[in-house]
DNA sequence: TCCGATCATTGAACCGGTTCGACAGTTGCG
DNA sequence: CGCAACTGTCGAACCGGTTCAATGATCGGA
């Protein structure tokens, strides 16, 4: 494999000249530049990543820490990951995907060893063990998800509070007065998945203000448990006319439940979900939903991260906490409550 | 950040002694070893990955080239990816996930620059543009999926031919004499996805031998097209009593179709799919299926790859083409054909 | 004609590890 | 008692880039 020394020899110049000709960081005569580029081309020269990293203290690699918990819905994660890898590549970075169970150890490993220029963290917990490590690391980091303490970090997330309110408002405006909200499993809450209670608490609060009855329950993450749960809820609250779903597995399971019970949506039951358009397509869901925009969030996180990586000025800018405002995509699954079921 | 020089100074030894004490590649007195380890601990020393890569010509990173095509079913891919990352980590390697559209260019980039010690390729096409590059690369590679020309490569795949035969045999034995096989979309075939016709051709051949009528059609990859297609097929072949599915999207869409038509499985229609257990759980599918074992395939590919990476002897061993034999997991969705529909 | 500025190029140092050959100091054996 | 073999440690070179300070060449202006 050709080194820059080979290129230099082939072009009849010194190593440093070859380096400058290739990088353009100093003026080089047209003649020499041509010779160097030709030599590089002829030898199929590609700089050695390790050597370059050592010399420049830049690896052009970003770390992506993602975890696949048993009780979370894996296909939903994929969207975030692709948002990150695609944007990273657009900006000239490769992505090191780390799915290790012990995220804190993994984070320490990749930052201390300088394998990466920056890190994106996903599956953020309220009190996330990785955050102290990230704050102490020499590389900048960005979070997709809101932790309890955002200090010293760039954070990107859906505005789950507003999402909860939008759902309740929408059905209230149509005339609904009794709703069911099905959230993620309680495990997720125990693990510190704040997005669960952020949406839930805001929805409950808004329902209280509007005088709407809201039955807020934690869900399941797997079939057949989640299907049973849905059936149980519809039995338990026969007067409820609207269903809010902040739980991908429940959303995916709902069609078979309504089929089986002979329920029509939205005539007998109005439904609003919270997931991504891509997810809806994959699972053939035709409910109105709050777009959770995973690709956009992943992309935003990477852009901010790369800004900080590349600009010394940006490193000292104040940290940002940016919420995407929930957009309700209408698919016609809500209507005024015509009949009690 | 501490370097090995800092550790050496702290321990009062030379850099080389510190290196040997940490690696154990030469005998070091107990006393000195203790001092070095203590110094490393005290300074929180972690070797710089770039420097080590430069010196040892090893990065402890594997490349994973995966593509997410519009017309393939993304959640199925995820299983393969996790199989790779998990096994890689077990063996001490991190994973560089590359999803770039131009796979050939990406492969050249990561191999030429020596970012990775080896590569796993997924979404293999019959005449894959990445293979010549991989063969010429200094690093070893492993394929998940069977290309037209396996020479010079380690290949791992499900035995799709046998899978096709197992499906037909199983239903023939139960007494079925007219079947439908729904494969992936024709786009996938045009792109060179050999697994489509490998299963299809073998199933057709076996059906011919057994005197079974087999209607083999290409499918769709998205709702609602795939649902319409399923309905159309059931209308077009009313005498067919068994359905074979080599198409994740079609499998995922089938339950709603049978519900809507009031078809009972297996009383009115026997069904066999080809997907993973994990996939079945995610989509709540309760059909008997041929396990495609994506995690096992990813894991096997990585193990073989790492063997070649780490052992000079293994580099020269003959290349392997290994097929996982299809295991039919019974979920009770097949039965003798009781009634014509 | 000489000088200073400008421009292109170079040699050397550096990044942070690993590894080879050399070298003391100790031990064992004849 | 002398020499060989062995142990443990060290200095130096190397991996393949980048970058700084210095050098030589060219040019315009006085």
């Amino acid at each position: 494999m050709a080194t820059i020394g080979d290129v230099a020899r082939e072009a009849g110049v010194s190593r440093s000249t070859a380096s400058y000709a290739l990088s353009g960081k100093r003026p080089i005569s047209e003649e020499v530049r041509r010779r160097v580029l030709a030599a590089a081309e002829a030898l199929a020269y590609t700089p050695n990543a390790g050597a370059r990293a050592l010399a420049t203290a830049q690896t052009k690699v970003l770390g992506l820490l993602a975890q696949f918990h048993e009780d979370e819905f894996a296909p939903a994660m994929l969207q975030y990951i692709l948002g990150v890898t695609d944007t990273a590549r657009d900006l000239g970075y490769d992505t090191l995907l780390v799915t290790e169970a012990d995220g804190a150890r993994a984070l320490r490993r990749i930052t201390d060893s300088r394998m990466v220029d920056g890190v994106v963290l996903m599956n953020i917990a309220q009190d996330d063990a990785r955050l102290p490590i990230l704050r102490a690391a020499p590389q900048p980091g960005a979070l997709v998800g809101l932790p309890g303490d955002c200090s010293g970090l760039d954070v990107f997330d859906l505005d789950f509070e507003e999402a909860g309110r939008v759902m309740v408002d929408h059905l209230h405006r149509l005339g609904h007065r009794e709703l069911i909200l099905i959230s993620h499993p309680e495990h997720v809450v125990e693990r510190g998945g704040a997005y669960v209670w952020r949406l839930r608490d805001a929805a409950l609060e808004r329902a209280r203000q509007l005088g709407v009855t809201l039955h807020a329950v934690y869900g399941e993450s797997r079939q057949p448990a989640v299907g049973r749960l849905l059936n149980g809820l519809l039995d338990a609250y026969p007067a409820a006319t609207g269903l809010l779903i902040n739980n991908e597995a429940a959303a995916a399971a709902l069609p078979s439940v309504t089929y089986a019970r002979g329920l029509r949506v939205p005539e007998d039951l109005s439904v609003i979900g919270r997931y991504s358009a891509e997810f809806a397509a994959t699972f053939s869901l035709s409910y109105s939903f709050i777009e959770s925009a995973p690709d956009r969030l992943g992309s935003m996180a990477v852009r901010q991260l790369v800004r900080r990586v590349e600009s010394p000025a940006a490193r000292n800018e104040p940290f940002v906490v940016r919420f995407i405002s929930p957009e309700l995509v209408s698919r016609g699954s809500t209507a005024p409550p015509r009949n009690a079921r």
Side-chain angles (χ1 to χ4, degrees), chain A:
Chain A
M1 200 86 241
T3 72
I4 201 169
D6 300 331
V7 172
R9 192 175 328 110
E10 176 86 6
V13 298
S14 71
R15 294 203 306 147
S16 50
T17 302
S19 176
Y20 287 124
L22 292 168
S23 71
K25 292 192 182 174
R26 281 207 185 170
I28 293 286
S29 70
E30 192 47 40
E31 157 66 10
V32 169
R33 162 191 249 72
R34 262 200 326 93
R35 288 216 313 273
V36 171
L37 293 183
E41 175 77 15
L43 300 173
Y45 167 71
T46 310
N48 179 300
R52 176 169 275 181
L54 184 55
T56 63
Q58 285 227 351
T59 62
K60 289 290 177 178
V61 174
L62 301 181
L64 171 55
L65 269 81
Q67 270 155 13
F68 290 83
H69 292 117
E70 186 67 26
D71 55 1
E72 270 170 15
F73 208 62
M77 283 289 288
L78 191 57
Q79 310 299 323
Y80 291 93
I81 295 181
L82 292 178
V84 168
T85 58
D86 289 352
T87 305
R89 185 87 292 278
D90 282 351
L91 300 176
Y93 288 78
D94 278 300
T95 305
L96 199 72
L97 175 64
V98 182
T99 57
E100 216 168 331
D102 186 344
R105 208 179 51 150
L107 179 59
R108 181 136 37 205
R109 179 164 45 78
I110 66 172
T111 53
D112 282 1
S113 70
R114 298 299 219 282
M115 300 177 78
V116 295
D117 291 340
V119 203
V120 176
L121 262 54
M122 312 218 316
N123 317 83
I124 304 298
Q126 175 74 4
D127 183 24
D128 199 301
R130 298 169 297 180
L131 300 192
I133 296 169
L134 181 56
R135 291 198 184 91
Q139 299 96 333
L143 274 51
V144 175
L146 178 71
D149 173 9
C150 295
S151 64
L153 299 166
D154 289 320
V155 175
F156 301 86
D157 203 359
L158 179 69
D159 188 340
F160 280 92
E161 280 90 355
E162 185 61 17
R165 290 189 286 265
V166 166
M167 286 173 153
V168 173
D169 283 350
H170 182 83
L171 290 187
H172 173 260
R173 213 172 301 125
L174 287 172
H176 295 260
R177 292 299 175 264
E178 185 171 346
L179 308 173
I180 301 171
L181 166 64
I182 177 164
S183 304
H184 293 82
E186 215 156 356
H187 286 116
V188 179
V189 174
E190 284 157 16
R191 208 170 46 231
Y195 54 98
V196 179
W197 67 75
R198 282 163 56 207
L199 189 148
R200 185 176 193 265
D201 291 351
L204 281 168
E205 170 67 12
R206 177 57 55 97
R208 205 186 49 73
Q209 291 169 351
L210 296 174
V212 170
T213 303
L214 179 63
H215 307 287
V217 300
Y218 296 108
E220 299 281 345
S221 61
R222 286 273 172 178
Q223 280 284 37
V226 65
R228 269 202 303 272
L229 177 79
L230 285 166
N231 271 307
L233 288 171
L234 294 173
D235 291 338
Y237 306 114
T241 54
L243 184 58
L244 312 179
I245 309 184
N246 184 30
N247 176 326
E248 282 86 355
L254 184 58
S256 63
V257 171
T258 54
Y259 265 122
R261 298 174 71 104
L263 276 179
R264 290 164 307 161
V265 174
E267 290 83 355
D268 305 321
L269 183 69
S270 286
V271 176
I272 306 181
R274 196 277 312 150
Y275 42 70
S276 72
E278 182 65 27
F279 185 87
T282 299
F283 285 85
S284 317
L285 300 181
S286 52
Y287 308 123
S288 300
F289 64 99
I290 304 257
E291 170 65 59
S292 57
D295 44 353
R296 225 172 103 215
L297 281 167
S299 180
M300 285 169 69
V302 169
R303 281 176 206 287
Q304 171 73 353
L305 182 59
V306 168
R307 257 171 47 76
R308 289 212 195 262
V309 165
E310 297 189 344
S311 143
R315 290 231 176 193
N316 301 319
E317 288 175 11
F319 294 96
V320 306
V321 177
R322 197 156 293 157
F323 292 109
I324 289 192
S325 56
E327 185 197 348
L328 181 59
V329 179
S330 177
R331 290 278 165 90
S333 69
T334 63
R338 274 221 302 243
N339 327 311
R341 280 183 288 121

